[in-house]
Amino acid sequence: MPRSGKVRARKNSVRSHPMQIDNLGGSGSDEIPADIPKVESKYSSLYVRTLSGAAFVAGFIIIIRLGHLYCLGLLLSLQALITRELFDLARRKGNVHPSDETRELPGFRIQQWYIFAVACFYMYGRLLHDIILVEASNPHIETKLGKVAMSVLWVVLKRHTLITYCLYVLGFVMSVLSLKKGKYMYQFGQYSGTITIILFVLVQTSFFVSNIFDGLIWFVLPCALVIINDIMAYFAGKVFGRTPLIKLSPKKTLEGYVGGGTLTVLLSIPLSDAFSQYEWMTCSRTSFAKENLECLNTLAFEPAVYHLSDFIPSILRQCVGSFVDLSFFAFTDYSFVAKPIVVHGIFLALFASSIAPFGGFFASGVKRALKIKDFGDSIPGHGGLTDRMDCQCVMGVFAYVYVNNFVKNPVASMSYILDKVLMLDASSQRALFTRLGYILAGQDMLPPTVLSELNKL
């Protein structure tokens, strides 16, 4: 083949590759005769992207304002939509038409959603255990249907792990029995994809459930910081970007990464302070009832005195102190006053701008491996939901770990006490109930007639 023919063939193959279109540039293209259409297309795409992004954020704000349960519904809906998006992608990459799959492998998609449902049952049951426990012990339920529901909840709470395992075994057996000769490779490939999708999407984002009920601020603030970092890194990269950051995302630059992270950390200070002004954002919800808000971690939102030494691990000071004179640490005596939530916000911002973007890099690697530009097209100008939520998956786990290690105080809540009481045998539970009744009656918190009933126990 002549050299010109090889070059022409190479150009055509590159143009057909969806992940390399952005890297072609305009200088060698014969398809775009003038720069004006390209500029119009660029600004039109930016307009659509901005409009759809604003609508997405506005809807998110409305749901947040509606409260905890609506946020829980939003999270579950996003998990289901992202999972469906990835299931459909896996099927397309398997080169199997939906009608052919339905005819040759009936019920195969139902099995995938069954695995998703079992994973939801396990994760939500674990993370909402305390709240379900409070609901199951509600003494004001008088209807027959309500009492039956409470009985079922008690069984689920007591045997949650066992029920989950039985559901898993049932799904495993169904999967093995559904294997069909000639379709083994396709079926095992789909099962492997299903497990990966559930681990990366469902399991990681489910930790936001606990954050929602610990206080909406621990759900909203991490999500907002990831969004802010994405925007700030985009603009910083556009203005200052020169040095490529990672080959998986050729458009990402070191300047955008550093500049976006710096701006995110700075913006986290007023953002954290603003969110802390509202009780419906900072207080925990201890049951599904709308009025049940408990402000358990109030110290996180009240000004406190900090010293620089508070941020230096003691083991580091001891190691350095063995080589350097202790006067070297004199500067750490500097003190300042700030709300703890502001400090927490800074640490969350540091993670959102340094580690969370690697969720996006991971997603970029998957897209390059599959030779696709986006995971879907559900959000105009942005691609699919997966393209917008890849960093949030990583952020959700960190926010949960951070809140439980550095924010939540070890308090004995009602759900905690109930959980411990259920571990006692029946006679110990009756003895505890009797003694608690005597204590409350002695403090005039119960009528005297209760004592006579207690004596009968």
Side-chain angles (χ1 to χ4, degrees), residues 94-307:
N95 296 322
V96 175
H97 194 273
S99 60
D100 295 335
E101 183 188 83
T102 303
R103 184 181 66 256
E104 298 178 11
L105 298 172
F108 184 73
R109 289 296 146 187
I110 296 177
Q111 293 178 26
Q112 284 188 307
W113 284 107
Y114 175 83
I115 297 172
F116 173 82
V118 173
C120 282
F121 175 79
Y122 177 75
M123 292 301 300
Y124 278 67
R126 297 282 292 182
L127 295 169
L128 293 176
H129 175 271
D130 290 351
I131 293 177
I132 296 174
L133 185 61
V134 172
E135 292 295 334
S137 59
N138 189 347
H140 302 294
I141 297 177
E142 298 178 354
T143 63
K144 186 175 181 180
L145 181 61
K147 291 180 178 179
V148 172
M150 291 305 103
S151 300
V152 173
L153 280 178
W154 276 116
V155 175
V156 171
L157 285 172
K158 194 172 183 179
R159 305 296 181 194
H160 178 253
T161 305
L162 176 62
I163 295 173
T164 303
Y165 178 73
C166 291
L167 293 173
Y168 158 75
V169 169
L170 178 62
F172 177 73
V173 171
M174 288 193 305
S175 299
V176 174
L177 293 177
S178 69
L179 293 174
K180 188 174 181 180
K181 187 177 180 180
K183 300 292 182 181
Y184 295 153
M185 185 62 68
Y186 174 75
Q187 286 180 284
F188 280 116
Q190 293 294 305
Y191 286 140
S192 300
T194 300
I195 295 171
T196 302
I197 291 167
I198 288 174
L199 287 175
F200 187 77
V201 177
L202 176 66
V203 173
Q204 292 195 107
T205 55
S206 291
F207 286 98
F208 272 129
V209 174
S210 179
N211 297 345
I212 288 172
F213 285 89
D214 283 335
L216 277 177
I217 192 171
W218 306 116
F219 167 63
V220 178
L221 183 59
C223 291
L225 290 173
V226 170
I227 296 172
I228 290 172
N229 181 71
D230 193 29
I231 297 171
M232 294 299 105
Y234 173 80
F235 284 111
K238 282 291 183 182
V239 177
F240 305 106
R242 295 291 183 275
T243 310
L245 177 64
I246 186 170
K247 291 182 179 180
L248 288 173
S249 296
K251 290 185 177 182
K252 298 293 191 298
T253 63
L254 179 62
E255 292 81 4
Y257 180 78
V258 175
T262 303
L263 292 172
T264 301
V265 171
L266 292 176
L267 289 173
S268 71
I269 297 174
L271 189 66
S272 303
D273 185 65
F275 286 163
S276 67
Q277 306 295 324
Y278 305 97
E279 278 195 356
W280 61 273
M281 285 283 286
T282 60
C283 294
S284 307
R285 184 168 294 286
T286 56
S287 76
F288 294 123
K290 187 175 182 180
E291 64 277 3
N292 284 359
L293 282 176
E294 289 187 15
C295 299
L296 301 176
N297 302 305
T298 55
L299 293 178
F301 310 104
E302 297 175 358
V305 178
Y306 285 94
H307 295 81

Side-chain angles (χ1 to χ4, degrees), residues 26-39:
S27 58
S29 175
D30 298 329
E31 299 178 1
I32 302 176
D35 290 338
I36 295 177
K38 286 169 57 181
V39 173

